[in-house]
Each structure stands twice: as structure tokens, then as C-alpha cells.
């Protein structure tokens, strides 16, 4: 890609006033930072709940919290990490990058964008405030199956389950509004020359994830409204003793919540596709295949939801059908994994912090993906149903892959967002603590599950204690790992070395503008003429390099 002057944009300068992040703002970059910082605060809350859960599970006996509180802890931990950490953070990083990557000045609907964000904090605060209720939080898990979720003592119209439902409806509406904005922006706001097959893979991934939000999320939002009516207004949609059907709720819940895994994972895959070429100095292998694979994952994932219901009186023919579709997801996902591997194959790797997180996340995704294929098989799924094997597999995806990708993204684009460089040593310390802690925490869950340890329990058979002790120590190490990250981010934003526009010599339009970008992103509207990811071919560089630029580039990457 390269660009030339098409028209002159109004004068605009980067807005460095920190107050912009605390007020209603329609600039997509400010909204993105608001999303990401808010999501990280919820990540800390969810992580604290996880550490309490792991503290309880160090010993087989119940000795830290009582059982109702334990149920509330794992219910809110799962809810917060999915709906208030990963999904909002992905909305934030996509908000920042998509307009820049496609050469747009902002999102298609800036006001709608701001409203979408400002629905997240009240939804999250309402959810967490349920700890203050006399009857406590929701206790039926992040899936909230009826009839368990409807078993509230009479005379308590304001209860934890009620607040859980209202919170998720608010957050869900926010996500639907955001999806409309992303899809419209990508289809209609691309710069001249930015064809679909000149878009970075991250944009393809964001588009695929947001299409899933539009198609699948209304099913969950509708199910939650019906559940609220059953809970507080006497309807009988899901009450089995009054001719309701709780299985219908499971279908509606998983119609969204299995694709939700890919809604969370697709942006992570897009991050890998941006970071791995930049630090291996190789073009992204199989660009078009990886771009189309994003849509392939989204398409197939719409038809896999029943594999969560193999033990819910599902007919045999339906089990076989959804076993096949669940395994089919491995094909486009495997294309992506092959493309990442081929990109770094025999290249000269530069192991800066973003690359470490990207390689670590991609490597751990292999184990998460393989165990996912195992769970797609009906006999194996029934054997390990409701065990810690499922917990281990799920966390190898949502933490060891997706959260690692999120950290890779934060370090990679931190200079662009803040105009400052982060401290490399602190970043690498953060990576190694996270990588070791993540594997200590979640790997023991796989053999524990195979041995029969049931999940969602606060006390267990003593034969499982060794694995649980290792897992808990790993969880505490993960908690410690956030400290150097926070210190690095805050200290570097305030006092870090000033960043140049393209510190990684990466391709992509976002690196052609200032760090941080001006209000309208570009001083001049770019016209795109080149394909992306041409690291190996200098004539395809985004910026036509001068002789001094080339000399400096060689000096940096040959160190």
C-alpha cells in the first residue's frame, strides 16, 4: 500500500488532554481508550473473584467462603470476564484501529458509538452492585439456566438474578449498536483504493465478529427478557412445572454464546496476523486465505451451538449433525494457525514484548483448539461433561489465547495510542509471569477433568488436591503479573520516551499518521494502491522510504 494526496482535510492536531477520556466524546480514539480502560478495570475485578475461588479450592474442604457466596463468585467471575472484559476490550481496540486501518476519519455513527460505550459502565456497576443485596448475587452460573435461575424465594423482586439479567440486556443492546456501527463503517467508510482484499486481516476479523453479533446476539437478548418475565412477572416460558420449556432457553442461550467464543477469538486472531509479520519481517503467509477464513469461522460457528447440549436429551441425529459442524470449525481455524506458523518460519524473529505475547498466545491456542475438537466428539464430550476438562479447555481459549492477544495488542499499539514507548524490560517480565502463571493455572485442570473432578464445586475429593494446589498457585501468580503491567502502562504513558510514528516499521495505514493520531486521523485522505503485509518487498512499503530511513531500518532490525 501507499498513499497520495487526494484532498486536504481540515487542520487537526492530536488532543493530548487526559480529561477527554472522562467525558462524553464522539472521537473514536477517545471512545476506544474509554472502552479499553473500563474493560481492564472490570478485568481486575473478575480476576480478584477468580483468586477468591482458587483460594477456596486450595484445600478439599469448604473453609474460605460459604457455598452461596462461592456460587455467586463463579457466576460473576464468568459474566464479568466475558461480557465486561473481553468483548468490550475487543470493541475498544477495534474502535481505535478499524477507522485508522481503512483510512476513515471516524466511525460511521460517532454519536451512536459514544452511546454504545456509555451503556457499559452502568451495566457493569449494576451487576457488581448485586453483592450489596441482602440475598446476594446471581448464583446460577454465567449461563443462568432455568429452572435453577428462577428459584428465588418469594417476596424478593429485586434480587441478584434480576440485576444480572438487566445488566446483560443493557450490555447486549450496547453490543448490537456497536455492531451496526462497525459493519457500516467497514462497508462504507473505506478510503479510496482500500478494496476488501487490501484490508488488514484484523479488519476482516473485526467484520466477521461483528456480523456474528448482529446475527446471534438478539437471540440471547430476547431469551433474557423472557427469563426476566418468568422471574418477576409470572410468565411461564421456561418453567417446566407450568408447561414451560427450559430447553428452549438453552437453545437460545447457546445460539449466541457458542459463537460468542469466536466473537472473542476472531479479533485475537486478527491481532496475531498484525503482530507476527511485523516482528518476523515476513509478509503474512496466505493473506487471502486468512482473510476468507475469518468469514468461514463466523459462518460455521452459527451452526454449532447444540454441541453444548449433547446431554440435554438431544436426539441422536442432532448430536451427529452438530458434532460434524463443530469439528468443521477446525478447518478455517487450522488455516489461520498454518498461516501464522508459515509467516514466522525461518524468519529472523525479534522478540519484543508484543511478539512474545503473540507467539505465546498462538502456541497455547493449539492446545485450546485440539481440546476443543476433542469436546466436539459426542462420546468424549459426554465422558467429560461438567468436569474440569471443560474449564481447562475454555480457559486455554479465553485467557491463554485471547487475553494474551489483548496484551500483545496493547504493547504493539501503545506507542500509536499514547505517543510514548513502554518499558521493554517490564513488558517482558509481565509476559513471563503471565505465560508461566497461565499454564500453571489451567493445564492441571485438563488431567483433573479426565480423572473425574466435577466443576462448579467448592469442596472436592482429597485425591484431586495436588492439581488444585498447583492451579491455585498459578492463579495467584497471574494476579501478581498484572502489577508490572499496570506500573509499566501508567509510568510509560506519563514519563515514557516519545514514540516516532512507526516505531516497529510495520505496514498498515495507522502507522503512516502521527503518534498519537490527529483528531481526523490523517492530515490528508489516503489513497491506497498496494496490498498489505509486504515486508519482504520494499517497493510495496506503505511509506516510500528515503535512503536514510532504509539505513535506519537495517540498523534497528539487524541488532
Amino acid at each position: 500500500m501507499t498513499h497520495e494526496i487526494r484532498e486536504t482535510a481540515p487542520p487537526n492536531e492530536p488532543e493530548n488532554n487526559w480529561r477527554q477520556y472522562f467525558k462524553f466524546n464522539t472521537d473514536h480514539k477517545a471512545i476506544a481508550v474509554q472502552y479499553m480502560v473500563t474493560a481492564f478495570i472490570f478485568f481486575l475485578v473478575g480476576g480478584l473473584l477468580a483468586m477468591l475461588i482458587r483460594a477456596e479450592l486450595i484445600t478439599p474442604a469448604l473453609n474460605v467462603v460459604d457455598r452461596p457466596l462461592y456460587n455467586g463468585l463463579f457466576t460473576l467471575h464468568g459474566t464479568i470476564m466475558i461480557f465486561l472484559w473481553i468483548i468490550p476490550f475487543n470493541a475498544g481496540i477495534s474502535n481505535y484501529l478499524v477507522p485508522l486501518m481503512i483510512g476513515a476519519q471516524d466511525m460511521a455513527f460517532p454519536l451512536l458509538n459514544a452511546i454504545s460505550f456509555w451503556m457499559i459502565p452502568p451495566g457493569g456497576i449494576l451487576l457488581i452492585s448485586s453483592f450489596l443485596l441482602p440475598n446476594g448475587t446471581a448464583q446460577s452460573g454465567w449461563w443462568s439456566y432455568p429452572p435453577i435461575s428462577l428459584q428465588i424465594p418469594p417476596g424478593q423482586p429485586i434480587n441478584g438474578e434480576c440485576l444480572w439479567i438487566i445488566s446483560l440486556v443493557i450490555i447486549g443492546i450496547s453490543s448490537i449498536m456497536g455492531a451496526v456501527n462497525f459493519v457500516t463503517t467497514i462497508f462504507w467508510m473505506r478510503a479510496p483504493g482500500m478494496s476488501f482484499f487490501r484490508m488488514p486481516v484484523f479488519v476482516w476479523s473485526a467484520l466477521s465478529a461483528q456480523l456474528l453479533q448482529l446475527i446471534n446476539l438478539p437471540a440471547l437478548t430476547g431469551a433474557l427478557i423472557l427469563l426476566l418475565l418468568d422471574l418477576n412477572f409470572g410468565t411461564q416460558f421456561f418453567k417446566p412445572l407450568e408447561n414451560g420449556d427450559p430447553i428452549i432457553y438453552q437453545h437460545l442461550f447457546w445460539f449466541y454464546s457458542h459463537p460468542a467464543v469466536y466473537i472473542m477469538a476472531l479479533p485475537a486472531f486478527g491481532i496475531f496476523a498484525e503482530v507476527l509479520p511485523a516482528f518476523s519481517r515476513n509478509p503474512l503467509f496466505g493473506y487471502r486465505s486468512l482473510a476468507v477464513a475469518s468469514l468461514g469461522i463466523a459462518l460455521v460457528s452459527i451452526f454449532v451451538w447444540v454441541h453444548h447440549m449433547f446431554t440435554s436429551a438431544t436426539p441422536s441425529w442432532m448430536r451427529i449433525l452438530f458434532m460434524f459442524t463443530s469439528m468443521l470449525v477446525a478447518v478455517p481455524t487450522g488455516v489461520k494457525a498454518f498461516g501464522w506458523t508459515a509467516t514466522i518460519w525461518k524468519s529472523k524473529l525479534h522478540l519484543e514484548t508484543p511478539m512474545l505475547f503473540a507467539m505465546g498466545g498462538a502456541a497455547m491456542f493449539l492446545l485450546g483448539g485440539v481440546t476443543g475438537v476433542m469436546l466436539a466428539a459426542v462420546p468424549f464430550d459426554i465422558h467429560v461433561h461438567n468436569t474440569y476438562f471443560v474449564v481447562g479447555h475454555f480457559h486455554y481459549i479465553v485467557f491463554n489465547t485471547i487475553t494474551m492477544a489483548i496484551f500483545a495488542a496493547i504493547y504493539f499499539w501503545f506507542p500509536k495510542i499514547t505517543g510514548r514507548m513502554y518499558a521493554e524490560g517490564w513488558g517482558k517480565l509481565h509476559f513471563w509471569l503471565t505465560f508461566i502463571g497461565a499454564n500453571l493455572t489451567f493445564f492441571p485442570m485438563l488431567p483433573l477433568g479426565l480423572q473425574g473432578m466435577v466443576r462448579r464445586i467448592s469442596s472436592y475429593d482429597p485425591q484431586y488436591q495436588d492439581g488444585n494446589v498447583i492451579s491455585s498457585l498459578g492463579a495467584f501468580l497471574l494476579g501478581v503479573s498484572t502489577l508490572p503491567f499496570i506500573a509499566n502502562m501508567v509510568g510509560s504513558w506519563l514519563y515514557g520516551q516519545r514514540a516516532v510514528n512507526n516505531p516497529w516499521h510495520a505496514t498498515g495505514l495507522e502507522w503512516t499518521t502521527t503518534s498519537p493520531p490527529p483528531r481526523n486521523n490523517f492530515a490528508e485522505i489516503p489513497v491506497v494502491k498496494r496490498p498489505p503485509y509486504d515486508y519482504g518487498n520494499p517497493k510495496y512499503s506503505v511509506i516510500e522510504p528515503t535512503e536514510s530511513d532504509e539505513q535506519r531500518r537495517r540498523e534497528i532490525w539487524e541488532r
Side-chain angles (χ1 to χ4, degrees):
M1 290 185 292
T2 187
H3 68 277
E4 63 185 22
I5 296 175
R6 178 181 173 86
E7 64 184 49
T8 303
N12 59 97
E13 297 292 333
E15 187 175 357
N16 291 320
N17 187 347
W18 57 269
R19 293 181 180 83
Q20 66 173 315
Y21 301 119
F22 292 90
K23 63 184 182 183
F24 195 87
N25 197 317
T26 56
D27 182 357
H28 74 97
K29 298 181 291 298
I31 294 171
V33 173
Q34 290 172 330
Y35 261 116
M36 291 187 282
V37 173
T38 303
F40 184 72
I41 292 171
F42 285 123
F43 171 69
L44 295 178
V45 175
L48 180 62
L49 301 186
M51 292 172 70
L52 288 173
I53 294 170
R54 291 312 317 176
E56 175 59 67
L57 294 174
I58 284 182
T59 59
L62 182 72
N63 48 21
V64 176
V65 296
D66 59 29
R67 285 197 168 86
L69 178 56
Y70 183 85
N71 292 340
L73 290 175
F74 76 70
T75 297
L76 262 63
H77 164 72
T79 306
I80 290 171
M81 288 304 197
I82 292 170
F83 296 106
L84 290 168
W85 160 235
I86 296 177
I87 291 179
F89 189 93
N90 282 341
I93 194 69
S94 299
N95 237 299
Y96 199 94
L97 294 176
V98 166
L100 284 166
M101 285 180 164
I102 64 174
Q105 292 186 337
D106 207 324
M107 297 287 283
F109 308 113
L111 179 60
L112 185 69
N113 199 21
I115 294 172
S116 300
F117 164 72
W118 283 105
M119 295 177 73
I120 298 293
I125 292 170
L126 183 65
L127 178 71
I128 295 173
S129 67
S130 62
F131 275 111
L132 304 176
L133 293 174
N135 47 19
T137 67
Q139 300 176 26
S140 51
W142 73 273
W143 51 94
S144 206
Y145 279 176
I148 292 177
S149 57
L150 299 176
Q151 293 174 351
I152 305 296
Q156 298 178 358
I158 306 300
N159 53 70
E161 186 64 34
C162 175
L163 296 191
W164 183 90
I165 295 172
I166 294 173
S167 301
L168 260 63
V169 169
I170 294 172
I171 296 167
I173 293 172
S174 163
S175 293
I176 293 172
M177 292 163 58
V180 170
N181 216 348
F182 279 115
V183 173
T184 306
T185 301
I186 294 171
F187 270 92
W188 298 109
M189 301 285 285
R190 286 173 285 123
M194 178 60 81
S195 63
F196 280 105
F197 281 114
R198 286 178 179 167
M199 295 194 312
V201 168
F202 180 84
V203 180
W204 279 92
S205 301
L207 174 62
S208 304
Q210 297 304 324
L211 285 173
L212 280 177
Q213 291 275 43
L214 280 180
I215 295 169
N216 296 71
L217 183 51
L220 175 62
T221 305
L224 292 176
I225 292 173
L226 296 180
L227 190 66
L228 182 64
L229 293 175
D230 273 10
L231 183 69
N232 280 13
F233 298 97
T235 57
Q236 303 161 8
F237 295 108
F238 305 128
K239 296 176 180 176
L241 297 181
E242 300 176 51
N243 294 323
D245 190 348
I247 299 298
I248 294 295
Y249 176 87
Q250 293 188 26
H251 279 286
L252 293 171
F253 178 84
W254 288 115
F255 183 71
Y256 170 74
S257 296
H258 188 84
V261 175
Y262 302 100
I263 290 169
M264 294 185 284
L266 279 165
F269 297 163
I271 292 166
F272 293 154
E274 303 304 317
V275 174
L276 295 176
F279 292 93
S280 61
R281 312 309 298 170
N282 268 344
L284 181 65
F285 185 89
Y287 159 72
R288 290 196 176 215
S289 300
L290 267 64
V292 173
S294 301
L295 286 178
I297 292 171
L299 177 64
V300 178
S301 70
I302 295 174
F303 304 101
V304 301
W305 78 93
V306 175
H307 99 242
H308 291 271
M309 301 168 58
F310 286 159
T311 59
S312 299
T314 303
S316 296
W317 68 266
M318 192 178 285
R319 285 177 172 177
I320 300 301
L321 173 64
F322 281 88
M323 179 176 73
F324 173 76
T325 57
S326 300
M327 289 183 171
L328 193 61
V329 179
V331 175
T333 309
V335 169
K336 283 189 171 289
F338 181 78
W340 305 332
T341 306
T343 298
I344 65 174
W345 183 255
K346 293 186 177 180
S347 65
K348 185 176 182 181
L349 300 181
H350 299 271
L351 300 178
E352 275 81 356
T353 303
M355 185 63 162
L356 290 175
F357 272 103
M359 291 181 65
M364 289 191 285
F365 171 70
L366 295 180
L367 184 54
V370 168
T371 52
V373 174
M374 294 166 67
L375 286 168
V378 173
F380 186 84
D381 182 87
I382 292 174
H383 177 70
V384 299
H385 176 72
N386 205 30
T387 70
Y388 257 85
F389 187 90
V390 181
V391 182
H393 152 72
F394 186 60
H395 283 83
Y396 259 87
I397 298 296
V398 293
F399 190 94
N400 293 17
T401 301
I402 299 173
T403 300
M404 293 286 280
I406 286 175
F407 284 129
I410 292 172
Y411 285 107
F412 187 54
W413 283 289
F414 182 85
K416 180 58 58 182
I417 295 171
T418 66
R420 303 276 184 173
M421 296 300 295
Y422 64 86
E424 187 64 42
W426 285 88
K428 289 180 176 175
L429 174 63
H430 175 218
F431 166 76
W432 285 112
L433 291 176
T434 306
F435 185 79
I436 295 170
N439 283 288
L440 284 177
T441 304
F442 302 119
F443 186 80
M445 295 179 181
L446 298 174
L448 282 173
L450 291 174
Q451 292 165 20
M453 179 171 170
V454 178
R455 61 177 171 171
R456 307 163 191 159
I457 55 174
S458 53
S459 55
Y460 54 86
D461 192 298
Q463 66 171 314
Y464 303 128
Q465 185 171 13
D466 291 344
N468 275 288
V469 169
I470 295 172
S471 186
S472 294
L473 292 177
F476 300 146
L477 184 59
L478 282 180
V480 172
S481 73
T482 60
L483 299 179
F485 171 72
I486 295 172
N488 196 0
M489 293 297 104
V490 175
S492 298
W493 199 333
L494 293 175
Y495 307 110
Q497 181 185 358
R498 291 200 177 278
V500 297
N501 294 344
N502 190 359
W504 313 123
H505 300 282
T507 63
L509 284 180
E510 76 271 25
W511 300 107
T512 67
T513 189
T514 58
S515 299
R519 176 64 178 84
N520 292 330
N521 293 342
F522 303 96
E524 303 149 354
I525 302 298
V527 176
V528 182
K529 294 184 175 179
R530 302 289 190 187
Y533 307 112
D534 288 290
Y535 286 98
N537 192 341
K539 72 178 183 179
Y540 288 144
S541 296
V542 173
I543 303 173
E544 299 295 344
T546 63
E547 188 173 340
S548 59
D549 289 335
E550 277 298 291
Q551 179 62 32
R552 184 168 176 270
R553 179 182 303 182
R554 282 196 293 271
E555 291 175 357
I556 291 174
W557 291 103
E558 289 174 1
R559 285 173 187 170

